[in-house]
Amino acid sequence: MLKNILPRGRSRSLNRTHKIAIAGVGTLGAAAVAFTAVPASGQTTTTSEAAPTAKVAYSTKQIQDVHAGVTGQLAGASQKAAAIEAKQEAAAKKATAAKKAAAEKAAAKRAAKETTSRSAKRTEVKKAAPKSYPDNLDGWIREARAIMKKHGIPGTYEGIHRNIMRESSGNPKAINDWDINAINGIPSKGLLQVIPPTFKAYHVPGTSKNIYDPVANIVAACNYAADKYGTMDNVDSAY
């Protein structure tokens, strides 16, 4: 074998171009080796069978989970809507009940007011309509006593009746034209034979100013008797 006769001093290092060239030669050599491995006939075989398709595993769990989630959301939304509707319905019922209560209260108030008004009107009618007394001696005495009571004038039914029967026999138009008063020109007149000056002095407001009016005559005479004798009951003769 020949020895390397090139001195070390003259060897040169490979540059980038040399490295690329060497790499190319190596590649070609590898290709040549590969072709030599092909059979001598030089033919290659291919197959028409398709590569087996890989089976894809489908899972329904995720779909079920999604369906369950959507169903849950719809159910929750439905419950919320039902709750809102129930709340609105309750509020509407409450408002209706409040309106009904207010209307009933207003109606009751109006009814009470109308009842009070009717009662007041009836009272006014009662006050306006005086009590009716029969137009006879009994009625005159009872009416006179009602007026006397208002004015604090004493006198019983019996005492008044007794003096009337003695003085005029119950005749409201009776007149005395023979006693001293008649002689003096002021004859006694009416149920209790009152002279005009006495009737005028003891006349009670609200009664007739006619001396022959039976009620006015009784009230004025009893007023005079109460002033002079304490009550008509104490009178047993001319007074």
Side-chain angles (χ1 to χ4, degrees):
M1 179 179 288
L2 294 176
K3 294 183 180 180
N4 190 357
I5 59 173
L6 291 176
R8 291 183 179 181
R10 290 185 180 181
S11 64
R12 295 193 304 181
S13 61
L14 298 176
N15 58 22
R16 185 171 181 274
T17 302
H18 294 158
K19 290 179 179 181
I20 291 174
I22 294 171
V25 172
T27 300
L28 290 174
V33 172
F35 276 112
T36 58
V38 178
S41 63
Q43 295 180 352
T44 60
T45 59
T46 59
T47 178
S48 60
E49 294 182 359
T53 305
K55 294 182 179 180
V56 178
Y58 293 97
S59 173
T60 60
K61 185 176 185 307
Q62 293 181 351
I63 297 175
Q64 291 175 353
D65 291 343
V66 171
H67 182 270
V70 171
T71 303
Q73 291 178 359
L74 291 175
S78 178
Q79 290 177 354
K80 288 182 180 179
I84 293 172
E85 184 178 357
K87 187 175 181 181
Q88 291 175 344
E89 185 177 355
K93 287 182 179 179
K94 186 177 181 181
T96 301
K99 288 181 180 179
K100 184 178 180 181
E104 290 176 351
K105 185 177 180 180
K109 188 175 181 180
R110 285 195 301 270
K113 187 176 181 180
E114 290 174 359
T115 301
T116 302
S117 178
R118 286 195 296 269
S119 178
K121 288 180 180 178
R122 285 195 296 268
T123 302
E124 289 176 2
V125 170
K126 288 181 180 179
K127 288 181 179 179
K131 186 176 180 180
S132 179
Y133 296 94
D135 190 19
N136 54 33
L137 181 58
D138 175 71
W140 299 333
I141 294 174
R142 288 195 290 115
E143 185 176 354
R145 291 191 71 244
I147 296 172
M148 290 163 57
K149 184 178 181 181
K150 291 180 181 178
H151 292 274
I153 301 171
T156 65
Y157 184 98
E158 292 76 10
I160 295 171
H161 186 272
R162 173 169 47 82
N163 279 282
I164 287 175
M165 296 309 292
R166 186 188 71 250
E167 293 291 338
S168 67
S169 299
N171 180 11
K173 300 297 183 180
I175 183 171
N176 187 321
D177 57 1
W178 55 267
D179 65 2
I180 187 63
N181 291 321
I183 295 172
N184 293 331
I186 49 172
S188 302
K189 300 177 181 180
L191 288 175
L192 284 169
Q193 292 293 285
V194 184
I195 61 176
T198 300
F199 178 80
K200 183 177 181 181
Y202 289 93
H203 175 263
V204 174
T207 62
S208 175
K209 292 183 179 182
N210 182 1
I211 196 171
Y212 290 106
D213 180 85
V215 175
N217 188 280
I218 293 172
V219 174
C222 288
N223 193 24
Y224 166 75
D227 185 38
K228 298 298 181 179
Y229 306 101
T231 176
M232 181 61 77
D233 295 349
N234 298 331
V235 178
D236 292 316
S237 62
Y239 59 103

